[in-house]
Amino acid sequence: MVVTAAVGAVAIFVLGSTLPIENGYTFRVVESGSMSPTIKAGSVVTTIPRDDYEVDDIVTFVGRERSSIPTTHRIVDTINRADQEMFVTKGDANEDVDHRTITEEEILGEVFLNVPYAGYLVRFVQTTTGFMLLVVIPLILLTISEVFVMSKQIKRTKNGDIDSDGGGDD
């Protein structure tokens, strides 16, 4: 049972960190310590888009090119530039604010869940060795266990050890 729960949790983090999820939820592995101690490197953060953002929100945003790695930092100030609200961001562990401001369109969402160190497990599972050790082998063991239980049930049925209602006579 514990193995099944662990495999399920790992699967959720791995799939969540690589696939888009309905309603804009995203899972991201935090790569750096720029948000320490609030969010440590190797954490998995979950974000959700909001209608508005304000100072002190921790947000994940894209770089200038949408293909670049997203950044998770805190909004520390807002400014209006050409009638558009711009956000000044900064990592909690950084001395200086980020070199550029961001728009609301660049924000993927506000962080609402932080799972420390889970990102290391996600990254490990994304390797061949990790996938084999933490997903494939437990699934094989679970399958073998289920086949063993089913074969015992079949033997008991053949021997007449099970009542007609499906229950045992133990």
Side-chain angles (χ1 to χ4, degrees), residues 35-40 43 58 74 92 114 116:
M35 281 300 295
S36 289
T38 308
I39 300 173
K40 296 175 179 10
S43 296
I58 299 174
R74 186 181 305 276
D92 288 358
N114 169 26

Side-chain angles (χ1 to χ4, degrees), residues 103-147:
T103 64
E104 188 169 330
E105 291 76 34
E106 293 173 295
I107 298 176
L108 298 173
E110 181 180 2
V111 173
F112 75 92
L113 178 65
N114 169 26
V115 183
Y117 308 113
Y120 294 121
L121 184 60
V122 169
R123 291 291 187 240
F124 180 64
V125 171
Q126 290 173 337
T127 67
T128 302
T129 303
F131 187 76
M132 294 296 288
L133 285 174
L134 296 175
V135 177
V136 174
I137 292 173
L139 285 175
I140 290 170
L141 293 173
L142 184 63
T143 302
I144 291 170
S145 170
E146 289 300 314
V147 167

Side-chain angles (χ1 to χ4, degrees), residues 44-59:
V44 171
V45 294
T46 305
T47 63
I48 185 170
R50 302 283 185 208
D51 290 333
D52 55 16
Y53 300 96
E54 54 192 48
V55 171
D56 226 24
D57 287 347
I58 299 174
V59 296

